[in-house]
Structure formats: C-alpha cells, structure tokens
C-alpha cells in the first residue's frame, strides 16, 4: 500500500511540474486603420480585451477600435486556417461596424498582424504587431 501511495505521489508531482508548451502573446504598438480606400492608415484608439493570452482569440475577440469620428469597430470572432509550416498564419476575422458584420481575412507573419476586407464598395483594413512575450517548452 505504501509503494502505491509513493508511486501515486511521484506521478502527481511529476505531472504538476510539466510546463505548458506555447507562447504568451501580447499586442503592442499603435493600431492603424485604413477606411474606404483612403491612401493612409490613421492612428486610432485601441481597447484590448486582454493584455496577453495564449492565442489570437484570447487577445483579440472583444477588443474595440475607436475611429476619429467616434465610430467603433469591435472584433467579434476569429478563425484560423490550417497551419502550413514555413508559411504565414492566415484565417478570417469578423468585426462589427455600424451594426453590420464585416468578414475580413487576416495574415500574421514575423509579429505583424494585418486584417483586410474589400467587399463591394466597403474597404477596411487594420494592422498592428503581436509579439510572443513569454514562451514555454516541455
């Protein structure tokens, strides 16, 4: 009985010391937005839902971008495409603007996150940087 208890205690202690594999992500720097095919990106106010998280959904969904005219763009969903090794991460993003849902594509590579949409006459794109602030290995 003692050996079983000792083995169980060792197993639990080893399991508890295993580290999470992955990275803690954080958005940093200014968010810049381009609207309605204007040439320049404009600086905006960005209210992040979280300072950091383990994936894009943790740090982006629920975040709000306030434009100069006080209109708000809210990120309401994000979906990743299947990862291709050596290629940038891609996927889709859904935002809400003026009570309309806008589907966007995103591209992430070397810390740069770019989302863009060109549906009909409406054009919206924004970019910012996301960095890994802490990475864990097993």
């Amino acid at each position: 009985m003692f050996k079983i208890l000792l083995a169980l205690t060792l197993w639990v202690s080893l399991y508890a010391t295993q580290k999470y594999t992955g990275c803690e992500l954080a958005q940093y720097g200014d968010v810049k937005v381009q609207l309605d095919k204007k040439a320049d990106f404009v600086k905006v106010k960005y209210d992040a839902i979280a300072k950091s998280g383990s994936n894009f959904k943790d740090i982006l969904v629920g975040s709000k971008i306030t434009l100069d005219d006080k209109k708000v763009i809210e990120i309401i969903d994000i979906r990743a495409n299947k990862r291709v090794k050596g290629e940038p991460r891609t996927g889709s993003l859904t935002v809400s603007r003026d009570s309309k849902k806008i589907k966007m594509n995103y591209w992430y590579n070397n810390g740069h996150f770019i989302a863009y949409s060109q549906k009909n006459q409406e054009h919206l794109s924004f970019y910012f940087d996301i960095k890994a602030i802490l990475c864990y290995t097993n």
Side-chain angles (χ1 to χ4, degrees), residues 60-87:
L60 297 177
V61 174
S63 297
K64 295 179 181 177
I65 300 169
T66 305
L67 308 173
D68 290 337
D69 59 5
K70 306 299 182 219
K71 291 188 177 181
V72 175
I73 297 168
E74 182 177 1
I75 301 170
I76 57 177
D77 193 28
I78 188 166
R79 302 277 179 210
N81 292 337
K82 186 172 180 165
R83 183 89 193 266
V84 178
K85 189 173 182 173
E87 295 292 321

PDB file of all heavy atoms in Angstrom, residues 60-87:
ATOM      1  N   LEU A  60      -7.779  39.151 -28.935  1.00  0.00           N
ATOM      2  CA  LEU A  60      -8.436  39.989 -29.933  1.00  0.00           C
ATOM      3  C   LEU A  60      -9.962  40.041 -29.827  1.00  0.00           C
ATOM      4  O   LEU A  60     -10.543  41.122 -29.938  1.00  0.00           O
ATOM      5  CB  LEU A  60      -8.048  39.527 -31.348  1.00  0.00           C
ATOM      6  CG  LEU A  60      -6.572  39.631 -31.699  1.00  0.00           C
ATOM      7  CD1 LEU A  60      -6.312  39.089 -33.091  1.00  0.00           C
ATOM      8  CD2 LEU A  60      -6.099  41.065 -31.581  1.00  0.00           C
ATOM      9  N   VAL A  61     -10.618  38.901 -29.643  1.00  0.00           N
ATOM     10  CA  VAL A  61     -12.085  38.882 -29.658  1.00  0.00           C
ATOM     11  C   VAL A  61     -12.624  39.675 -28.469  1.00  0.00           C
ATOM     12  O   VAL A  61     -12.304  39.395 -27.324  1.00  0.00           O
ATOM     13  CB  VAL A  61     -12.631  37.439 -29.665  1.00  0.00           C
ATOM     14  CG1 VAL A  61     -14.141  37.437 -29.530  1.00  0.00           C
ATOM     15  CG2 VAL A  61     -12.209  36.732 -30.946  1.00  0.00           C
ATOM     16  N   GLY A  62     -13.410  40.701 -28.783  1.00  0.00           N
ATOM     17  CA  GLY A  62     -13.947  41.606 -27.773  1.00  0.00           C
ATOM     18  C   GLY A  62     -13.210  42.936 -27.733  1.00  0.00           C
ATOM     19  O   GLY A  62     -13.669  43.894 -27.118  1.00  0.00           O
ATOM     20  N   SER A  63     -12.063  43.021 -28.408  1.00  0.00           N
ATOM     21  CA  SER A  63     -11.315  44.276 -28.466  1.00  0.00           C
ATOM     22  C   SER A  63     -12.047  45.273 -29.348  1.00  0.00           C
ATOM     23  O   SER A  63     -12.769  44.897 -30.271  1.00  0.00           O
ATOM     24  CB  SER A  63      -9.909  44.033 -29.018  1.00  0.00           C
ATOM     25  OG  SER A  63      -9.184  43.184 -28.167  1.00  0.00           O
ATOM     26  N   LYS A  64     -11.854  46.568 -29.062  1.00  0.00           N
ATOM     27  CA  LYS A  64     -12.551  47.624 -29.803  1.00  0.00           C
ATOM     28  C   LYS A  64     -11.567  48.650 -30.341  1.00  0.00           C
ATOM     29  O   LYS A  64     -10.602  49.008 -29.671  1.00  0.00           O
ATOM     30  CB  LYS A  64     -13.564  48.312 -28.901  1.00  0.00           C
ATOM     31  CG  LYS A  64     -14.676  47.381 -28.473  1.00  0.00           C
ATOM     32  CD  LYS A  64     -15.663  48.069 -27.570  1.00  0.00           C
ATOM     33  CE  LYS A  64     -16.733  47.059 -27.165  1.00  0.00           C
ATOM     34  NZ  LYS A  64     -17.680  47.618 -26.238  1.00  0.00           N
ATOM     35  N   ILE A  65     -11.852  49.096 -31.561  1.00  0.00           N
ATOM     36  CA  ILE A  65     -11.071  50.141 -32.218  1.00  0.00           C
ATOM     37  C   ILE A  65     -12.005  51.336 -32.383  1.00  0.00           C
ATOM     38  O   ILE A  65     -13.052  51.226 -33.016  1.00  0.00           O
ATOM     39  CB  ILE A  65     -10.566  49.668 -33.597  1.00  0.00           C
ATOM     40  CG1 ILE A  65      -9.684  48.424 -33.442  1.00  0.00           C
ATOM     41  CG2 ILE A  65      -9.823  50.786 -34.304  1.00  0.00           C
ATOM     42  CD1 ILE A  65      -9.366  47.729 -34.757  1.00  0.00           C
ATOM     43  N   THR A  66     -11.637  52.485 -31.798  1.00  0.00           N
ATOM     44  CA  THR A  66     -12.457  53.691 -31.912  1.00  0.00           C
ATOM     45  C   THR A  66     -11.802  54.622 -32.916  1.00  0.00           C
ATOM     46  O   THR A  66     -10.634  55.005 -32.763  1.00  0.00           O
ATOM     47  CB  THR A  66     -12.591  54.393 -30.544  1.00  0.00           C
ATOM     48  OG1 THR A  66     -13.102  53.450 -29.602  1.00  0.00           O
ATOM     49  CG2 THR A  66     -13.547  55.574 -30.640  1.00  0.00           C
ATOM     50  N   LEU A  67     -12.578  54.997 -33.945  1.00  0.00           N
ATOM     51  CA  LEU A  67     -12.084  55.862 -35.007  1.00  0.00           C
ATOM     52  C   LEU A  67     -12.234  57.327 -34.607  1.00  0.00           C
ATOM     53  O   LEU A  67     -12.910  57.657 -33.631  1.00  0.00           O
ATOM     54  CB  LEU A  67     -12.864  55.585 -36.294  1.00  0.00           C
ATOM     55  CG  LEU A  67     -12.909  54.112 -36.712  1.00  0.00           C
ATOM     56  CD1 LEU A  67     -13.826  53.935 -37.892  1.00  0.00           C
ATOM     57  CD2 LEU A  67     -11.520  53.604 -37.018  1.00  0.00           C
ATOM     58  N   ASP A  68     -11.623  58.219 -35.385  1.00  0.00           N
ATOM     59  CA  ASP A  68     -11.694  59.656 -35.102  1.00  0.00           C
ATOM     60  C   ASP A  68     -13.135  60.163 -35.015  1.00  0.00           C
ATOM     61  O   ASP A  68     -13.435  61.050 -34.234  1.00  0.00           O
ATOM     62  CB  ASP A  68     -10.946  60.452 -36.175  1.00  0.00           C
ATOM     63  CG  ASP A  68      -9.439  60.250 -36.080  1.00  0.00           C
ATOM     64  OD1 ASP A  68      -8.961  59.895 -34.982  1.00  0.00           O
ATOM     65  OD2 ASP A  68      -8.751  60.448 -37.083  1.00  0.00           O
ATOM     66  N   ASP A  69     -14.012  59.602 -35.841  1.00  0.00           N
ATOM     67  CA  ASP A  69     -15.410  60.059 -35.831  1.00  0.00           C
ATOM     68  C   ASP A  69     -16.240  59.342 -34.766  1.00  0.00           C
ATOM     69  O   ASP A  69     -17.466  59.346 -34.809  1.00  0.00           O
ATOM     70  CB  ASP A  69     -16.039  59.887 -37.208  1.00  0.00           C
ATOM     71  CG  ASP A  69     -16.024  58.446 -37.673  1.00  0.00           C
ATOM     72  OD1 ASP A  69     -15.616  57.560 -36.892  1.00  0.00           O
ATOM     73  OD2 ASP A  69     -16.417  58.197 -38.820  1.00  0.00           O
ATOM     74  N   LYS A  70     -15.572  58.714 -33.813  1.00  0.00           N
ATOM     75  CA  LYS A  70     -16.187  58.031 -32.668  1.00  0.00           C
ATOM     76  C   LYS A  70     -16.925  56.750 -33.041  1.00  0.00           C
ATOM     77  O   LYS A  70     -17.603  56.166 -32.229  1.00  0.00           O
ATOM     78  CB  LYS A  70     -17.126  58.956 -31.886  1.00  0.00           C
ATOM     79  CG  LYS A  70     -16.501  60.251 -31.442  1.00  0.00           C
ATOM     80  CD  LYS A  70     -15.328  60.016 -30.517  1.00  0.00           C
ATOM     81  CE  LYS A  70     -14.765  61.350 -30.062  1.00  0.00           C
ATOM     82  NZ  LYS A  70     -13.348  61.387 -29.982  1.00  0.00           N
ATOM     83  N   LYS A  71     -16.818  56.306 -34.270  1.00  0.00           N
ATOM     84  CA  LYS A  71     -17.399  55.024 -34.648  1.00  0.00           C
ATOM     85  C   LYS A  71     -16.492  53.921 -34.119  1.00  0.00           C
ATOM     86  O   LYS A  71     -15.275  54.066 -34.079  1.00  0.00           O
ATOM     87  CB  LYS A  71     -17.563  54.914 -36.156  1.00  0.00           C
ATOM     88  CG  LYS A  71     -18.635  55.849 -36.677  1.00  0.00           C
ATOM     89  CD  LYS A  71     -18.929  55.590 -38.119  1.00  0.00           C
ATOM     90  CE  LYS A  71     -20.051  56.515 -38.558  1.00  0.00           C
ATOM     91  NZ  LYS A  71     -20.417  56.307 -39.934  1.00  0.00           N
ATOM     92  N   VAL A  72     -17.109  52.824 -33.728  1.00  0.00           N
ATOM     93  CA  VAL A  72     -16.370  51.741 -33.100  1.00  0.00           C
ATOM     94  C   VAL A  72     -16.404  50.498 -33.979  1.00  0.00           C
ATOM     95  O   VAL A  72     -17.443  50.129 -34.517  1.00  0.00           O
ATOM     96  CB  VAL A  72     -16.962  51.418 -31.712  1.00  0.00           C
ATOM     97  CG1 VAL A  72     -16.285  50.215 -31.089  1.00  0.00           C
ATOM     98  CG2 VAL A  72     -16.845  52.626 -30.795  1.00  0.00           C
ATOM     99  N   ILE A  73     -15.254  49.878 -34.111  1.00  0.00           N
ATOM    100  CA  ILE A  73     -15.124  48.580 -34.767  1.00  0.00           C
ATOM    101  C   ILE A  73     -14.819  47.595 -33.649  1.00  0.00           C
ATOM    102  O   ILE A  73     -13.871  47.788 -32.890  1.00  0.00           O
ATOM    103  CB  ILE A  73     -13.976  48.582 -35.794  1.00  0.00           C
ATOM    104  CG1 ILE A  73     -14.258  49.589 -36.906  1.00  0.00           C
ATOM    105  CG2 ILE A  73     -13.762  47.188 -36.355  1.00  0.00           C
ATOM    106  CD1 ILE A  73     -13.054  49.869 -37.788  1.00  0.00           C
ATOM    107  N   GLU A  74     -15.633  46.544 -33.515  1.00  0.00           N
ATOM    108  CA  GLU A  74     -15.395  45.537 -32.490  1.00  0.00           C
ATOM    109  C   GLU A  74     -15.089  44.200 -33.142  1.00  0.00           C
ATOM    110  O   GLU A  74     -15.796  43.767 -34.055  1.00  0.00           O
ATOM    111  CB  GLU A  74     -16.604  45.376 -31.574  1.00  0.00           C
ATOM    112  CG  GLU A  74     -16.365  44.364 -30.470  1.00  0.00           C
ATOM    113  CD  GLU A  74     -17.523  44.225 -29.503  1.00  0.00           C
ATOM    114  OE1 GLU A  74     -18.547  44.902 -29.676  1.00  0.00           O
ATOM    115  OE2 GLU A  74     -17.393  43.408 -28.577  1.00  0.00           O
ATOM    116  N   ILE A  75     -14.031  43.558 -32.687  1.00  0.00           N
ATOM    117  CA  ILE A  75     -13.669  42.232 -33.186  1.00  0.00           C
ATOM    118  C   ILE A  75     -14.568  41.225 -32.472  1.00  0.00           C
ATOM    119  O   ILE A  75     -14.538  41.137 -31.248  1.00  0.00           O
ATOM    120  CB  ILE A  75     -12.181  41.927 -32.944  1.00  0.00           C
ATOM    121  CG1 ILE A  75     -11.315  42.977 -33.644  1.00  0.00           C
ATOM    122  CG2 ILE A  75     -11.841  40.513 -33.422  1.00  0.00           C
ATOM    123  CD1 ILE A  75      -9.844  42.923 -33.287  1.00  0.00           C
ATOM    124  N   ILE A  76     -15.384  40.489 -33.251  1.00  0.00           N
ATOM    125  CA  ILE A  76     -16.348  39.587 -32.616  1.00  0.00           C
ATOM    126  C   ILE A  76     -16.043  38.107 -32.831  1.00  0.00           C
ATOM    127  O   ILE A  76     -16.598  37.259 -32.130  1.00  0.00           O
ATOM    128  CB  ILE A  76     -17.801  39.912 -33.031  1.00  0.00           C
ATOM    129  CG1 ILE A  76     -17.980  39.862 -34.540  1.00  0.00           C
ATOM    130  CG2 ILE A  76     -18.210  41.265 -32.490  1.00  0.00           C
ATOM    131  CD1 ILE A  76     -19.405  40.104 -35.010  1.00  0.00           C
ATOM    132  N   ASP A  77     -15.155  37.786 -33.771  1.00  0.00           N
ATOM    133  CA  ASP A  77     -14.802  36.379 -33.974  1.00  0.00           C
ATOM    134  C   ASP A  77     -13.511  36.286 -34.763  1.00  0.00           C
ATOM    135  O   ASP A  77     -13.171  37.193 -35.532  1.00  0.00           O
ATOM    136  CB  ASP A  77     -15.917  35.644 -34.712  1.00  0.00           C
ATOM    137  CG  ASP A  77     -15.749  34.131 -34.684  1.00  0.00           C
ATOM    138  OD1 ASP A  77     -15.135  33.611 -33.729  1.00  0.00           O
ATOM    139  OD2 ASP A  77     -16.228  33.450 -35.613  1.00  0.00           O
ATOM    140  N   ILE A  78     -12.807  35.185 -34.577  1.00  0.00           N
ATOM    141  CA  ILE A  78     -11.593  34.912 -35.352  1.00  0.00           C
ATOM    142  C   ILE A  78     -11.501  33.406 -35.574  1.00  0.00           C
ATOM    143  O   ILE A  78     -11.796  32.622 -34.673  1.00  0.00           O
ATOM    144  CB  ILE A  78     -10.330  35.459 -34.658  1.00  0.00           C
ATOM    145  CG1 ILE A  78      -9.110  35.347 -35.579  1.00  0.00           C
ATOM    146  CG2 ILE A  78     -10.097  34.805 -33.316  1.00  0.00           C
ATOM    147  CD1 ILE A  78      -7.912  36.145 -35.111  1.00  0.00           C
ATOM    148  N   ARG A  79     -11.127  33.019 -36.774  1.00  0.00           N
ATOM    149  CA  ARG A  79     -10.972  31.607 -37.138  1.00  0.00           C
ATOM    150  C   ARG A  79      -9.667  31.454 -37.914  1.00  0.00           C
ATOM    151  O   ARG A  79      -9.405  32.198 -38.850  1.00  0.00           O
ATOM    152  CB  ARG A  79     -12.112  31.133 -38.035  1.00  0.00           C
ATOM    153  CG  ARG A  79     -13.482  31.294 -37.461  1.00  0.00           C
ATOM    154  CD  ARG A  79     -13.799  30.140 -36.569  1.00  0.00           C
ATOM    155  NE  ARG A  79     -15.133  30.348 -36.008  1.00  0.00           N
ATOM    156  CZ  ARG A  79     -15.500  29.918 -34.842  1.00  0.00           C
ATOM    157  NH1 ARG A  79     -14.673  29.234 -34.103  1.00  0.00           N
ATOM    158  NH2 ARG A  79     -16.705  30.144 -34.392  1.00  0.00           N
ATOM    159  N   ALA A  80      -8.873  30.476 -37.520  1.00  0.00           N
ATOM    160  CA  ALA A  80      -7.595  30.228 -38.184  1.00  0.00           C
ATOM    161  C   ALA A  80      -7.771  29.221 -39.311  1.00  0.00           C
ATOM    162  O   ALA A  80      -8.561  28.290 -39.206  1.00  0.00           O
ATOM    163  CB  ALA A  80      -6.580  29.702 -37.184  1.00  0.00           C
ATOM    164  N   ASN A  81      -7.024  29.422 -40.393  1.00  0.00           N
ATOM    165  CA  ASN A  81      -6.923  28.410 -41.438  1.00  0.00           C
ATOM    166  C   ASN A  81      -5.937  27.353 -40.956  1.00  0.00           C
ATOM    167  O   ASN A  81      -5.166  27.575 -40.023  1.00  0.00           O
ATOM    168  CB  ASN A  81      -6.425  29.022 -42.748  1.00  0.00           C
ATOM    169  CG  ASN A  81      -7.434  29.965 -43.360  1.00  0.00           C
ATOM    170  OD1 ASN A  81      -8.632  29.882 -43.102  1.00  0.00           O
ATOM    171  ND2 ASN A  81      -6.960  30.892 -44.165  1.00  0.00           N
ATOM    172  N   LYS A  82      -5.935  26.223 -41.626  1.00  0.00           N
ATOM    173  CA  LYS A  82      -4.983  25.165 -41.283  1.00  0.00           C
ATOM    174  C   LYS A  82      -3.571  25.710 -41.451  1.00  0.00           C
ATOM    175  O   LYS A  82      -3.255  26.373 -42.428  1.00  0.00           O
ATOM    176  CB  LYS A  82      -5.201  23.947 -42.179  1.00  0.00           C
ATOM    177  CG  LYS A  82      -4.363  22.781 -41.779  1.00  0.00           C
ATOM    178  CD  LYS A  82      -4.717  21.534 -42.542  1.00  0.00           C
ATOM    179  CE  LYS A  82      -3.802  20.415 -42.060  1.00  0.00           C
ATOM    180  NZ  LYS A  82      -4.279  19.123 -42.465  1.00  0.00           N
ATOM    181  N   ARG A  83      -2.729  25.431 -40.476  1.00  0.00           N
ATOM    182  CA  ARG A  83      -1.354  25.944 -40.469  1.00  0.00           C
ATOM    183  C   ARG A  83      -0.511  25.211 -41.496  1.00  0.00           C
ATOM    184  O   ARG A  83      -0.528  23.987 -41.576  1.00  0.00           O
ATOM    185  CB  ARG A  83      -0.771  25.740 -39.069  1.00  0.00           C
ATOM    186  CG  ARG A  83       0.609  26.289 -38.885  1.00  0.00           C
ATOM    187  CD  ARG A  83       0.539  27.738 -38.427  1.00  0.00           C
ATOM    188  NE  ARG A  83       1.827  28.387 -38.521  1.00  0.00           N
ATOM    189  CZ  ARG A  83       2.689  28.480 -37.533  1.00  0.00           C
ATOM    190  NH1 ARG A  83       2.407  27.968 -36.372  1.00  0.00           N
ATOM    191  NH2 ARG A  83       3.836  29.087 -37.714  1.00  0.00           N
ATOM    192  N   VAL A  84       0.247  25.963 -42.285  1.00  0.00           N
ATOM    193  CA  VAL A  84       1.189  25.411 -43.253  1.00  0.00           C
ATOM    194  C   VAL A  84       2.583  25.800 -42.783  1.00  0.00           C
ATOM    195  O   VAL A  84       2.907  26.988 -42.680  1.00  0.00           O
ATOM    196  CB  VAL A  84       0.928  25.961 -44.676  1.00  0.00           C
ATOM    197  CG1 VAL A  84       1.953  25.418 -45.653  1.00  0.00           C
ATOM    198  CG2 VAL A  84      -0.491  25.655 -45.121  1.00  0.00           C
ATOM    199  N   LYS A  85       3.393  24.802 -42.473  1.00  0.00           N
ATOM    200  CA  LYS A  85       4.727  25.049 -41.921  1.00  0.00           C
ATOM    201  C   LYS A  85       5.547  25.923 -42.863  1.00  0.00           C
ATOM    202  O   LYS A  85       5.602  25.697 -44.059  1.00  0.00           O
ATOM    203  CB  LYS A  85       5.445  23.720 -41.677  1.00  0.00           C
ATOM    204  CG  LYS A  85       6.723  23.882 -40.911  1.00  0.00           C
ATOM    205  CD  LYS A  85       7.324  22.560 -40.530  1.00  0.00           C
ATOM    206  CE  LYS A  85       8.578  22.785 -39.723  1.00  0.00           C
ATOM    207  NZ  LYS A  85       9.117  21.566 -39.181  1.00  0.00           N
ATOM    208  N   GLY A  86       6.163  26.948 -42.289  1.00  0.00           N
ATOM    209  CA  GLY A  86       7.006  27.852 -43.065  1.00  0.00           C
ATOM    210  C   GLY A  86       6.250  28.978 -43.747  1.00  0.00           C
ATOM    211  O   GLY A  86       6.858  29.857 -44.350  1.00  0.00           O
ATOM    212  N   GLU A  87       4.934  28.967 -43.673  1.00  0.00           N
ATOM    213  CA  GLU A  87       4.104  29.999 -44.297  1.00  0.00           C
ATOM    214  C   GLU A  87       3.485  30.879 -43.216  1.00  0.00           C
ATOM    215  O   GLU A  87       3.315  30.450 -42.074  1.00  0.00           O
ATOM    216  CB  GLU A  87       2.983  29.355 -45.129  1.00  0.00           C
ATOM    217  CG  GLU A  87       3.470  28.565 -46.326  1.00  0.00           C
ATOM    218  CD  GLU A  87       4.085  29.442 -47.395  1.00  0.00           C
ATOM    219  OE1 GLU A  87       3.563  30.551 -47.638  1.00  0.00           O
ATOM    220  OE2 GLU A  87       5.106  29.026 -47.977  1.00  0.00           O
TER     221      GLU A  87
END
